[in-house]
């Protein structure tokens, strides 16, 4: 099952993509793809709906983030062994966690805006976990019971803010538009093995990142269980799980994004994103 939110920013409606790749309107049955609607009981109710019984929606609508009202946007750093190697970092003994501001979340085709003072804007393709049921002190064996699904995430990063300005990584991870999600939330049974997802990212048509979740240091079950030892994960929380190699910071010499660049990215069963990098206008 592939769930979407479509329409103008801030006024998205819930929908789904059927097996014929047709956008269907879920708004008569579901309030939003958010919060309590992501729990197991509600998701089973959505699964029971015949997609052909839903009205078709205009496919020209903007596609927004597939998750609304995100409370916590949690990120994992240096979670691919080959990415850690390219940055010269040691393999972490435990997951490295930081926050991205939920206010940075946008749709998969919305522009990415270069923040004031930025000179090292970088890209990171990732798979993100969407929490469905509250999780606190869960075991790895039970972790997937708390997952509503997965989505593609572009963890846009400003490296000078992140590394050279002191303090937490969130400084370089939270500017407006730094968290494109989607195009859809794919449920676990449709995704298959989350540790066998291919990921890729291009800049101006040139392949920069090619990787697989198979090289994650800490897998999906481990991350959900681990994070739940430190905080109560709530329905609609998003955990973006790290990036494979090929980021601009790791190139010799480093390469960074500039206004006018086009970034495209995708993953197995996760769909594709496309963003234009724009200079800030205010």
């Amino acid at each position: 099952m592939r769930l979407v939110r479509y329409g103008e920013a801030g006024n998205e409606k819930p929908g789904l993509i059927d097996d014929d790749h047709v956008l269907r309107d879920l708004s008569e049955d579901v309030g939003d793809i958010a919060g309590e609607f992501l729990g197991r009981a509600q998701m089973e109710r959505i699964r029971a709906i015949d997609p052909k019984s839903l009205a078709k929606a205009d496919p020209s609508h903007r596609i927004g983030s597939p998750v609304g009202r995100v409370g916590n946007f949690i990120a994992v750093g240096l979670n691919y062994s080959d990415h850690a190697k390219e940055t010269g970092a040691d393999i972490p003994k435990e997951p490295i966690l930081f926050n991205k501001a939920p206010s940075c979340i946008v749709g998969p085709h919305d522009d990415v805006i270069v923040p004031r003072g930025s000179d090292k804007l970088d890209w990171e393709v990732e798979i993100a976990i969407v929490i469905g049921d509250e999780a606190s002190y869960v075991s790895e064996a039970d972790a997937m019971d708390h997952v509503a699904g997965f989505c593609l995430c572009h963890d846009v990063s400003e490296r000078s803010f992140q590394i050279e300005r002191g303090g937490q990584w969130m400084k370089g991870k939270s500017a407006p538009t730094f968290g494109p999600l989607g195009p859809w939330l794919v449920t676990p049974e449709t995704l298959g093995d989350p540790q066998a997802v291919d990921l890729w990212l291009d800049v101006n048509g040139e392949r920069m990142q090619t990787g697989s979740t198979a090289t994650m240091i800490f897998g999906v079950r481990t991350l959900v269980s681990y994070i739940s030892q430190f905080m109560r994960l709530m329905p609609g929380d998003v955990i973006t799980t790290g990036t494979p190699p090929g980021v601009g910071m790791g190139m010799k010499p480093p390469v960074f994004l500039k206004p006018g660049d086009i970034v495209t990215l995708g993953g197995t069963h996760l769909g594709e994103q496309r963003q234009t990098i724009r200079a800030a206008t205010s």
Side-chain angles (χ1 to χ4, degrees):
M1 189 164 62
R2 295 174 294 173
L3 301 177
V4 299
R5 298 170 70 251
Y6 66 96
E8 295 180 2
N11 195 33
E12 293 92 347
K13 297 172 66 174
L16 62 77
I17 306 294
D18 69 18
D19 291 340
D20 297 319
H21 311 292
V22 175
L23 175 60
R24 301 277 181 171
D25 181 16
L26 264 177
S27 60
E28 294 297 320
D29 299 274
V30 176
D32 197 1
I33 310 298
E36 68 276 9
F37 291 103
L38 290 161
R40 275 173 289 181
Q42 290 287 350
M43 294 292 277
E44 286 303 320
R45 190 170 68 82
I46 297 172
R47 285 187 182 92
I49 298 170
D50 178 6
K52 303 295 186 187
S53 71
L54 301 172
K56 293 181 180 180
D58 183 347
S60 68
H61 278 297
R62 168 189 173 270
I63 299 296
S65 163
V67 189
R69 305 198 310 272
V70 174
N72 292 297
F73 193 3
I74 303 156
V76 184
L78 298 175
N79 193 33
Y80 283 69
S81 55
D82 36 12
H83 173 54
K85 182 179 179 181
E86 76 172 342
T87 63
D90 294 332
I91 300 296
K93 293 183 172 60
E94 295 188 39
I96 297 171
L97 306 180
F98 60 93
N99 290 327
K100 288 177 72 76
S103 58
C104 79
I105 294 173
V106 291
H109 309 303
D110 293 339
D111 292 342
V112 168
I113 307 303
V114 182
R116 294 179 185 177
S118 168
D119 60 3
K120 294 181 181 177
L121 190 67
D122 207 346
W123 55 83
E124 294 191 12
V125 59
E126 308 194 0
I127 182 174
I129 306 162
V130 179
I131 298 297
D133 284 290
E134 186 177 308
S136 181
Y137 296 107
V138 302
S139 67
E140 289 191 25
D142 294 335
M144 287 301 296
D145 293 340
H146 301 266
V147 174
F150 301 86
C151 61
L152 190 66
C153 174
H154 186 185
D155 178 17
V156 184
S157 306
E158 212 305 324
R159 302 302 189 187
S160 61
F161 295 179
Q162 175 190 355
I163 298 169
E164 300 168 18
R165 300 288 297 271
Q168 299 295 318
W169 285 6
M170 67 178 296
K171 286 182 180 180
K173 300 281 190 169
S174 295
T177 73
F178 272 27
L181 297 179
W184 49 66
L185 182 153
V186 60
T187 49
E189 75 279 2
T190 301
L191 180 73
D193 183 357
Q195 305 309 145
V197 175
D198 293 329
L199 298 169
W200 59 269
L201 181 144
D202 295 349
V203 178
N204 299 326
E206 180 181 354
R207 183 59 46 92
M208 297 297 184
Q209 290 188 273
T210 302
S212 169
T213 57
T215 68
M216 277 186 180
I217 299 166
F218 306 104
V220 167
R221 289 180 179 273
T222 299
L223 291 174
V224 173
S225 173
Y226 181 86
I227 296 168
S228 79
Q229 310 305 309
F230 301 98
M231 63 182 290
R232 188 182 302 273
L233 292 166
M234 301 300 292
D237 285 354
V238 174
I239 304 167
T240 191
T241 59
T243 196
V247 298
M249 177 179 65
M251 295 183 175
K252 301 187 187 318
V255 177
F256 297 112
L257 296 168
K258 60 187 183 304
D261 285 345
I262 304 292
V263 181
T264 52
L265 56 149
T268 310
H269 302 306
L270 297 175
E272 298 184 7
Q273 297 187 4
R274 182 184 188 277
Q275 294 111 30
T276 301
I277 310 302
R278 305 283 190 194
T281 57
S282 62

